[in-house]
Amino acid sequence: MNELARSLVPQNVLLRKSEIYSILDEICQDLELTTAQMQAAKASYEAVADWLSSSDNPVLQHIDVYPHGSAGLGTSVKPLGREDFDVDVICLVFRFASVRPPAELKKIVGDRLRENARYAAMLEEKKRCWRLNYAREFHLDVSPTIVNASCNNGGELVPDKSLSEFKPTNPKGYRALFEKRALMRPRLKVQKAIASDRQANIEPFPVHMRVKGILRRTVQLLKRHRDIYFFDIEADIAPISIVITTLAAQAYECCVNTFTFDSELDVVIATIRMMPHFIDRPFGNGQRMYVVANETTIGENFAERWNKEPARATAFYAWHAKALADFENLAELEGLDRITKKLGDSYGKTVVARVMDARTEQISGARAAQKLFVAPMIGLTLTNSAAATAVPKNTYFGD
């Protein structure tokens, strides 16, 4: 779209897109863990970290315990169809060499957890981690890792699922790169205001700001859309969160560095549209491979299973096409009822109804109190200013 065409976008369309993104942001807030859930997860994480770090085993007297995955990135969403949610934790063990068996490392961490009667009762062994099940609340997955001396970026090595070898990973490097991208702000034509030798380092449990930015919101929206899309599909072929997060982060950076947008919603749509461009297709073993690489270390392919199970790649492209179409269609819809129905289909009718009811009550109260305004370069706001105009009636949805 050329600059002249952009300049002719009607103000009501810009306001509608901006308001739709605001609704999406509130849906993400509703899908996030509650304050009570976050506090419970934080307390449990800290207790487990303290227990591991206070071991008398020399191997565990120099460790680094920190959260990773969605909890570390700030992209968690409530799971669909079950009550418990995931908290992923890394236990980086410095006093364990890669020449020793990975199974030995995993056993050392598991044995320490079993020494605690409470943890022993809730402990479950998984292929490459230890899971602590907090009944009907959450489960905490503890993955042991060691230093990857071959990685110049602070990478680590994690036991593979068979515990036969160590594989490269870099949760800290990944998080740092993701956070750097999340801080990037797109150019918008319509801006919205929005003891002794014992060395155990335990990072604080992350508490993210309520306003998380467009990248985190895009990841959360895509993860929820995926959960709805694959809910009735029995086969375990849904794209894993790390693939979605990685592609969205790379696409977001590209879009922010390349384009100027009319609204936040346009940023989300452009990011989703660009995601497949960051799936590499090199030749290997006589055939084209799928690679979604961890950019922060060498040798980790988040799409590795796609090459052994082609149905996973097919499922990703089918879901991605549906997600893109849904977002593009949402941007064109007029009428609050139609928008609400579309959002309900994509994110869950109960969640959307709860958000829309709360929103209607807030907006109605603000309008009645004459505290709802439209300000240049901001859009809808509850803050009055010299340039702001009071909003007498809602018309930007085409009603």
Short mmCIF file of all heavy atoms in Angstrom, two decimals, residues 285-314:
data_model
loop_
_atom_site.label_atom_id
_atom_site.label_comp_id
_atom_site.label_asym_id
_atom_site.label_seq_id
_atom_site.Cartn_x
_atom_site.Cartn_y
_atom_site.Cartn_z
N ASN A 285 20.76 -35.40 4.09
CA ASN A 285 20.45 -36.82 3.86
C ASN A 285 19.64 -37.04 2.58
O ASN A 285 18.74 -37.87 2.52
CB ASN A 285 19.67 -37.40 5.06
CG ASN A 285 20.44 -37.32 6.36
OD1 ASN A 285 21.65 -37.51 6.38
ND2 ASN A 285 19.74 -37.01 7.45
N GLY A 286 19.98 -36.23 1.57
CA GLY A 286 19.34 -36.41 0.27
C GLY A 286 17.95 -35.84 0.16
O GLY A 286 17.25 -36.10 -0.83
N GLN A 287 17.50 -35.09 1.12
CA GLN A 287 16.16 -34.52 1.06
C GLN A 287 16.13 -33.16 1.75
O GLN A 287 17.04 -32.80 2.50
CB GLN A 287 15.15 -35.45 1.75
CG GLN A 287 15.42 -35.65 3.23
CD GLN A 287 14.44 -36.59 3.89
OE1 GLN A 287 13.54 -37.12 3.25
NE2 GLN A 287 14.60 -36.81 5.19
N ARG A 288 15.08 -32.40 1.48
CA ARG A 288 14.92 -31.11 2.15
C ARG A 288 14.50 -31.33 3.59
O ARG A 288 13.62 -32.14 3.88
CB ARG A 288 13.90 -30.25 1.41
CG ARG A 288 14.46 -29.55 0.18
CD ARG A 288 13.59 -28.37 -0.21
NE ARG A 288 14.17 -27.62 -1.32
CZ ARG A 288 15.08 -26.67 -1.18
NH1 ARG A 288 15.52 -26.36 0.04
NH2 ARG A 288 15.56 -26.03 -2.23
N MET A 289 15.13 -30.56 4.46
CA MET A 289 14.85 -30.66 5.88
C MET A 289 14.07 -29.43 6.33
O MET A 289 14.03 -28.41 5.65
CB MET A 289 16.16 -30.74 6.67
CG MET A 289 17.14 -31.78 6.16
SD MET A 289 16.60 -33.47 6.48
CE MET A 289 16.87 -33.56 8.24
N TYR A 290 13.44 -29.56 7.50
CA TYR A 290 12.82 -28.41 8.17
C TYR A 290 13.72 -28.00 9.33
O TYR A 290 14.09 -28.84 10.16
CB TYR A 290 11.44 -28.78 8.71
CG TYR A 290 10.40 -29.03 7.65
CD1 TYR A 290 10.06 -30.34 7.28
CD2 TYR A 290 9.74 -27.98 7.03
CE1 TYR A 290 9.11 -30.58 6.31
CE2 TYR A 290 8.78 -28.21 6.05
CZ TYR A 290 8.47 -29.50 5.70
OH TYR A 290 7.52 -29.75 4.74
N VAL A 291 14.05 -26.72 9.38
CA VAL A 291 14.89 -26.23 10.47
C VAL A 291 14.32 -24.93 11.02
O VAL A 291 14.13 -23.96 10.27
CB VAL A 291 16.35 -25.99 10.00
CG1 VAL A 291 17.17 -25.37 11.14
CG2 VAL A 291 16.99 -27.29 9.53
N VAL A 292 14.01 -24.92 12.30
CA VAL A 292 13.71 -23.70 13.05
C VAL A 292 14.78 -23.65 14.13
O VAL A 292 14.66 -24.24 15.19
CB VAL A 292 12.30 -23.72 13.66
CG1 VAL A 292 12.06 -22.45 14.48
CG2 VAL A 292 11.24 -23.86 12.57
N ALA A 293 15.87 -22.96 13.82
CA ALA A 293 17.07 -23.04 14.64
C ALA A 293 16.99 -22.15 15.88
O ALA A 293 16.38 -21.08 15.86
CB ALA A 293 18.29 -22.63 13.81
N ASN A 294 17.62 -22.62 16.94
CA ASN A 294 17.89 -21.77 18.09
C ASN A 294 19.07 -20.89 17.70
O ASN A 294 20.20 -21.38 17.58
CB ASN A 294 18.21 -22.60 19.32
CG ASN A 294 18.44 -21.76 20.56
OD1 ASN A 294 18.61 -20.54 20.49
ND2 ASN A 294 18.45 -22.41 21.72
N GLU A 295 18.82 -19.61 17.50
CA GLU A 295 19.86 -18.69 17.01
C GLU A 295 20.97 -18.47 18.01
O GLU A 295 22.03 -17.94 17.66
CB GLU A 295 19.23 -17.34 16.66
CG GLU A 295 18.10 -17.42 15.67
CD GLU A 295 17.25 -16.16 15.70
OE1 GLU A 295 17.60 -15.21 14.98
OE2 GLU A 295 16.27 -16.14 16.47
N THR A 296 20.77 -18.87 19.26
CA THR A 296 21.72 -18.53 20.31
C THR A 296 22.71 -19.65 20.62
O THR A 296 23.53 -19.51 21.51
CB THR A 296 20.97 -18.15 21.61
OG1 THR A 296 20.29 -19.29 22.13
CG2 THR A 296 19.98 -17.03 21.35
N THR A 297 22.62 -20.76 19.90
CA THR A 297 23.58 -21.83 20.05
C THR A 297 23.61 -22.62 18.76
O THR A 297 22.77 -22.42 17.87
CB THR A 297 23.23 -22.75 21.24
OG1 THR A 297 24.35 -23.59 21.55
CG2 THR A 297 22.02 -23.61 20.94
N ILE A 298 24.56 -23.51 18.62
CA ILE A 298 24.69 -24.32 17.41
C ILE A 298 24.20 -25.73 17.67
O ILE A 298 24.60 -26.37 18.65
CB ILE A 298 26.16 -24.35 16.93
CG1 ILE A 298 26.63 -22.94 16.57
CG2 ILE A 298 26.33 -25.28 15.73
CD1 ILE A 298 28.10 -22.86 16.22
N GLY A 299 23.32 -26.21 16.80
CA GLY A 299 22.93 -27.61 16.87
C GLY A 299 21.56 -27.89 17.43
O GLY A 299 21.18 -29.07 17.55
N GLU A 300 20.78 -26.86 17.79
CA GLU A 300 19.44 -27.10 18.31
C GLU A 300 18.41 -26.69 17.28
O GLU A 300 18.32 -25.53 16.88
CB GLU A 300 19.20 -26.34 19.62
CG GLU A 300 17.84 -26.67 20.26
CD GLU A 300 17.66 -26.12 21.65
OE1 GLU A 300 18.31 -25.10 21.98
OE2 GLU A 300 16.88 -26.70 22.43
N ASN A 301 17.61 -27.65 16.83
CA ASN A 301 16.57 -27.43 15.83
C ASN A 301 15.22 -27.69 16.49
O ASN A 301 14.87 -28.83 16.79
CB ASN A 301 16.77 -28.36 14.63
CG ASN A 301 15.66 -28.25 13.61
OD1 ASN A 301 14.86 -27.31 13.63
ND2 ASN A 301 15.58 -29.22 12.71
N PHE A 302 14.45 -26.63 16.70
CA PHE A 302 13.16 -26.78 17.38
C PHE A 302 12.16 -27.57 16.54
O PHE A 302 11.19 -28.10 17.08
CB PHE A 302 12.59 -25.40 17.71
CG PHE A 302 13.43 -24.61 18.67
CD1 PHE A 302 13.77 -23.29 18.40
CD2 PHE A 302 13.88 -25.17 19.86
CE1 PHE A 302 14.54 -22.55 19.29
CE2 PHE A 302 14.65 -24.45 20.76
CZ PHE A 302 14.99 -23.13 20.46
N ALA A 303 12.38 -27.65 15.23
CA ALA A 303 11.48 -28.40 14.34
C ALA A 303 12.05 -29.76 13.97
O ALA A 303 11.68 -30.35 12.96
CB ALA A 303 11.20 -27.59 13.08
N GLU A 304 12.91 -30.28 14.80
CA GLU A 304 13.58 -31.55 14.50
C GLU A 304 12.59 -32.68 14.23
O GLU A 304 12.77 -33.50 13.33
CB GLU A 304 14.51 -31.92 15.67
CG GLU A 304 15.33 -33.16 15.45
CD GLU A 304 16.29 -33.42 16.60
OE1 GLU A 304 16.12 -32.79 17.66
OE2 GLU A 304 17.21 -34.25 16.42
N ARG A 305 11.50 -32.71 14.97
CA ARG A 305 10.54 -33.81 14.81
C ARG A 305 9.79 -33.73 13.49
O ARG A 305 9.25 -34.73 13.03
CB ARG A 305 9.56 -33.82 15.99
CG ARG A 305 10.22 -34.15 17.32
CD ARG A 305 9.22 -34.21 18.46
NE ARG A 305 8.28 -35.31 18.30
CZ ARG A 305 7.29 -35.57 19.17
NH1 ARG A 305 7.15 -34.80 20.26
NH2 ARG A 305 6.48 -36.59 18.98
N TRP A 306 9.75 -32.55 12.88
CA TRP A 306 9.08 -32.42 11.59
C TRP A 306 9.74 -33.31 10.54
O TRP A 306 9.06 -33.80 9.62
CB TRP A 306 9.12 -30.97 11.11
CG TRP A 306 8.33 -30.00 11.91
CD1 TRP A 306 7.83 -30.17 13.17
CD2 TRP A 306 7.95 -28.68 11.51
NE1 TRP A 306 7.17 -29.03 13.59
CE2 TRP A 306 7.23 -28.11 12.58
CE3 TRP A 306 8.17 -27.93 10.36
CZ2 TRP A 306 6.72 -26.82 12.53
CZ3 TRP A 306 7.66 -26.64 10.30
CH2 TRP A 306 6.94 -26.10 11.37
N ASN A 307 11.04 -33.52 10.65
CA ASN A 307 11.77 -34.30 9.66
C ASN A 307 11.53 -35.79 9.81
O ASN A 307 11.73 -36.55 8.85
CB ASN A 307 13.27 -33.99 9.75
CG ASN A 307 13.57 -32.53 9.48
OD1 ASN A 307 13.14 -31.97 8.49
ND2 ASN A 307 14.30 -31.89 10.40
N LYS A 308 11.11 -36.23 10.98
CA LYS A 308 10.78 -37.63 11.21
C LYS A 308 9.28 -37.87 11.14
O LYS A 308 8.84 -38.99 10.87
CB LYS A 308 11.31 -38.07 12.57
CG LYS A 308 12.82 -37.94 12.71
CD LYS A 308 13.27 -38.31 14.12
CE LYS A 308 14.77 -38.13 14.29
NZ LYS A 308 15.21 -38.45 15.68
N GLU A 309 8.51 -36.82 11.41
CA GLU A 309 7.05 -36.92 11.41
C GLU A 309 6.48 -35.80 10.53
O GLU A 309 6.12 -34.74 11.03
CB GLU A 309 6.51 -36.80 12.83
CG GLU A 309 7.11 -37.80 13.81
CD GLU A 309 6.76 -37.49 15.25
OE1 GLU A 309 5.55 -37.32 15.53
OE2 GLU A 309 7.68 -37.40 16.09
N PRO A 310 6.42 -36.00 9.21
CA PRO A 310 5.98 -34.95 8.28
C PRO A 310 4.60 -34.38 8.59
O PRO A 310 4.31 -33.24 8.22
CB PRO A 310 5.99 -35.67 6.92
CG PRO A 310 6.94 -36.81 7.09
CD PRO A 310 6.81 -37.24 8.51
N ALA A 311 3.77 -35.15 9.28
CA ALA A 311 2.43 -34.66 9.62
C ALA A 311 2.50 -33.42 10.49
O ALA A 311 1.58 -32.59 10.47
CB ALA A 311 1.63 -35.75 10.34
N ARG A 312 3.58 -33.26 11.23
CA ARG A 312 3.73 -32.08 12.07
C ARG A 312 3.94 -30.83 11.24
O ARG A 312 3.39 -29.77 11.55
CB ARG A 312 4.90 -32.27 13.04
CG ARG A 312 4.64 -33.30 14.12
CD ARG A 312 5.79 -33.40 15.10
NE ARG A 312 5.45 -34.30 16.20
CZ ARG A 312 4.80 -33.92 17.30
NH1 ARG A 312 4.45 -32.65 17.45
NH2 ARG A 312 4.51 -34.79 18.25
N ALA A 313 4.73 -30.95 10.18
CA ALA A 313 4.93 -29.80 9.30
C ALA A 313 3.63 -29.45 8.59
O ALA A 313 3.26 -28.28 8.49
CB ALA A 313 6.03 -30.12 8.28
N THR A 314 2.93 -30.46 8.10
CA THR A 314 1.64 -30.23 7.43
C THR A 314 0.67 -29.54 8.37
O THR A 314 -0.04 -28.60 7.98
CB THR A 314 1.05 -31.56 6.95
OG1 THR A 314 1.97 -32.19 6.05
CG2 THR A 314 -0.28 -31.35 6.24
#
